[in-house]
Amino acid sequence: MIRFIAAIDNKKGIANNSGIPWQGMIPGDLAHFRSKTLNGNVLMGYGWYKEQIKPLPNRKNIVATSSVEKLRSGFDKILDAREFLKKSNDDIWVGGGAALFSSTIDLADELYLTHLLADFNCTKYFPNFETSFELSESSSHITENGIEYYFAMYVKKII
């Protein structure tokens, strides 16, 4: 099962050149991410890897990169995210960034999205998904530090 997990603003923004604008402001979303991915396999792009001080604990940290740089301890490198996802028999959580999401969304089975009900002036976006996925469940609205959001899970439409 390939699952994407991300927080998106009301324009599908996920980050800007400085990172995630709401980083640290919505602890409920971080707890949601941790609970969903705990003891799982998390696939991340090179940009997210560079932002990590250390591997996500109690998870296999897989980095999609063509960089020749040796990765830090606790991170495993793959060269081709699409081929990796196509061939994997394991459950994989794809956590971004934008290029990784865009290049592999057609392979996703489920999307776990935190919808932030505000515009954070992002410059990096989650790809369009509405034509290929349908809402399966969603939470009630939550507000933390003045940011209103809710959790939603989408499943790939059967065509």
Side-chain angles (χ1 to χ4, degrees), residues 3-146:
R3 297 177 176 100
F4 280 30
I5 188 163
I8 62 175
D9 74 6
N10 63 9
K11 293 186 177 176
K12 294 191 193 109
I14 60 171
N16 60 33
N17 292 335
S18 300
I20 300 171
W22 53 85
Q23 187 76 39
M25 297 174 64
I26 45 176
D29 179 54
L30 183 57
H32 177 74
F33 174 85
R34 285 182 181 145
S35 72
K36 293 294 182 192
T37 63
L38 192 64
N39 299 315
N41 302 297
V42 177
L43 176 61
M44 64 185 73
Y46 188 69
W48 184 19
Y49 160 76
K50 288 192 326 188
E51 293 172 2
Q52 294 296 112
I53 296 169
K54 59 185 178 180
L56 299 169
N58 301 310
R59 295 163 194 88
K60 183 173 183 181
N61 291 253
I62 307 160
V63 182
T65 180
S66 58
S67 172
V68 296
E69 171 189 339
K70 184 179 185 301
L71 300 182
R72 297 185 306 273
S73 178
F75 294 94
D76 297 322
K77 181 192 289 192
I78 59 151
L79 296 175
D80 187 322
R82 286 190 65 78
E83 286 305 308
F84 172 76
L85 291 171
K86 284 180 184 180
K87 292 178 180 176
S88 180
N89 293 320
D90 295 327
D91 288 343
I92 308 289
W93 289 94
V94 178
L100 181 59
F101 285 142
S102 293
S103 66
T104 60
I105 192 159
D106 61 305
L107 302 175
D109 300 301
E110 297 176 345
L111 308 177
Y112 288 76
L113 300 178
T114 302
H115 290 273
L116 309 178
L117 303 180
D119 178 1
F120 284 85
N121 299 308
C122 292
T123 55
K124 299 172 185 179
Y125 297 90
F126 194 83
N128 289 327
F129 62 91
E130 294 87 343
T131 58
S132 300
F133 293 85
E134 59 190 358
L135 181 65
S136 175
E137 57 187 69
S138 67
S139 73
S140 57
H141 288 208
I142 304 159
T143 302
E144 288 183 301
N145 294 313

